[in-house]
Amino acid sequence: MKTNYKTPIIILEKRRKDIITALKRQQTEALVSEKRMVEMAIKWLKKGEDFDIDPDKSIVKLPPTQTQTACVQYRIVEDFESDKNQSWKEIRIDEKVIRPLPGSLLILE
């Protein structure tokens, strides 16, 4: 089932509009801070909507590499059900290989 992001986005956009109206009357640090937080929440929800991310999925952060040299990197490969790395093929998006950095986030199915 697809996650409904539209409703919370609409609610937050209305809240942002109310905050902007209040800021026109009186600028307070609390209102400015709340506006920033609401805008950040809207951006995150829109990212979830754009990528159809299920918020119940697990998200992990890649750890630092075990080998601490400048040349080591993570690679995402399709293994073709083979343990032989010669058979593996790196995943490409827009003709570019995907090489996540330590700290990159992965959403697990």
Side-chain angles (χ1 to χ4, degrees):
M1 183 174 160
K2 191 167 179 160
T3 302
N4 175 10
Y5 284 96
K6 295 225 181 295
T7 301
I9 289 171
I10 289 168
I11 291 167
L12 287 170
E13 285 174 339
K14 182 184 181 323
R15 180 63 189 142
R16 177 176 56 193
K17 187 176 178 181
D18 293 344
I19 294 167
I20 290 169
T21 301
L23 282 167
K24 289 177 182 175
R25 288 189 304 256
Q26 178 185 12
Q27 282 203 2
T28 67
E29 187 57 41
L31 283 172
V32 170
S33 177
E34 184 179 0
K35 180 179 174 282
R36 284 188 196 121
M37 287 188 293
V38 167
E39 288 173 340
M40 184 173 29
I42 291 168
K43 285 179 185 178
W44 274 110
L45 287 169
K46 285 184 176 181
K47 284 181 191 298
E49 182 178 48
D50 290 346
F51 292 101
D52 193 24
I53 299 171
D54 181 343
D56 291 328
K57 297 291 182 195
S58 295
I59 299 175
V60 296
K61 184 177 178 181
L62 287 178
T65 56
Q66 293 179 13
T67 305
Q68 300 298 317
T69 65
C71 297
V72 70
Q73 54 190 312
Y74 286 112
R75 296 172 185 241
I76 299 178
V77 298
E78 186 172 350
D79 66 9
F80 297 99
E81 297 183 7
S82 170
D83 290 333
K84 298 176 185 172
N85 61 358
Q86 299 90 342
S87 302
W88 298 353
K89 184 175 179 183
E90 283 192 86
I91 301 298
R92 294 178 173 267
I93 296 178
D94 297 328
E95 300 303 315
K96 295 179 183 172
V97 294
I98 305 304
R99 300 235 172 112
L101 298 171
S104 295
L105 301 178
L106 300 176
I107 301 169
L108 305 178
E109 286 291 322

